[in-house]
Amino acid sequence: TDYAGSLVGQPYITKFAAGAFHSLAVASPCFTPIKSMDDACPAFDFEAGDLYVWGNNKYGQLGTGSNADTKYEAVPKLITMLNTISTRCRFGETVDCVQSDDYFRIGKIVKDVAAGSWHSLVSLNQREDIGYRRSSYQVNRMFTMGNNDEGQLGHSDTTLRDIPTQIESNFVRFHHLGGNYYQ
């Protein structure tokens, strides 16, 4: 559904990443109501980005909150716990759901994804109030999830994470993500 709860079409995939047995996609949501799910979406919110995941979730690399060896997502699943702009609006968690050109729209925007064999990386943009004047700035944040037996998630430990967990990065800007077997 869209920001007002009306039926909308399928999201527009803007980026894609594949791990050994799982996949990730960044998608721009449709924010224009349509008559049926078979109709094409007339307007996508390209300023927003959601995370969709599917495949094997043995080590929690999908970020769904579980890591069972038998847990597979056969179809793309929207990860709502990232609290992106469109998921906040879609599920009625905020009254700040306005058109995409509004500077103060609240929520995170998924910008990039990468996948290793059994782990995933997600880059988000979000507005934060920074400094003593609490000025609002667009900042870049990195979230990781999945297998961490070699410390590949970047959290200074080897703890498996089955939900997206933010890396403390001191305002480092991430331009491109890449993943490999252990990186």
Side-chain angles (χ1 to χ4, degrees):
T1 60
D2 71 352
Y3 300 160
S6 302
L7 183 68
V8 295
Q10 296 178 0
Y12 184 87
I13 303 296
T14 57
K15 295 198 178 191
F16 177 78
F21 302 100
H22 71 291
S23 299
L24 313 162
V26 178
S28 295
C30 180
F31 62 41
T32 304
I34 58 174
K35 294 182 181 182
S36 80
M37 286 301 286
D38 296 329
D39 292 347
C41 176
F44 291 99
D45 187 354
F46 289 110
E47 295 299 316
D50 289 328
L51 175 64
Y52 286 84
V53 298
W54 64 98
N56 186 303
N57 198 31
K58 181 176 183 175
Y59 296 102
Q61 64 269 30
L62 298 183
T64 60
S66 70
N67 61 345
D69 190 22
T70 59
K71 182 67 176 160
Y72 293 85
E73 293 294 338
V75 296
K77 177 178 182 166
L78 174 65
I79 301 300
T80 58
M81 67 183 67
L82 285 174
N83 208 16
T84 59
I85 292 170
S86 59
T87 58
R88 287 169 52 99
C89 294
R90 191 176 290 129
F91 297 107
E93 296 176 11
T94 182
V95 295
D96 300 306
C97 304
V98 294
Q99 294 189 11
S100 63
D101 58 354
D102 186 345
Y103 180 80
F104 292 104
R105 194 166 64 153
I106 297 172
K108 298 172 184 159
I109 302 166
V110 178
K111 287 305 210 182
D112 203 2
V113 291
S117 290
W118 298 105
H119 65 286
S120 303
L121 301 90
V122 180
S123 173
L124 301 173
N125 283 353
Q126 65 186 41
R127 291 221 166 269
E128 290 183 11
D129 293 335
I130 299 173
Y132 71 94
R133 291 185 178 167
R134 308 308 293 163
S135 299
S136 183
Y137 291 96
Q138 184 89 6
V139 296
N140 194 236
R141 296 287 183 226
M142 174 74 73
F143 288 75
T144 59
M145 57 245 182
N147 187 16
N148 196 28
D149 61 355
E150 300 288 330
Q152 60 265 47
L153 297 184
H155 297 285
S156 301
D157 61 27
T158 56
T159 304
L160 178 143
R161 288 180 169 77
D162 59 10
I163 62 170
T165 306
Q166 183 177 326
I167 294 177
E168 297 302 322
S169 62
N170 293 329
F171 302 106
V172 172
R173 260 205 173 313
F174 301 100
H175 293 282
H176 297 286
L177 300 181
N180 205 332
Y181 192 77
Y182 283 118
Q183 355 176 346

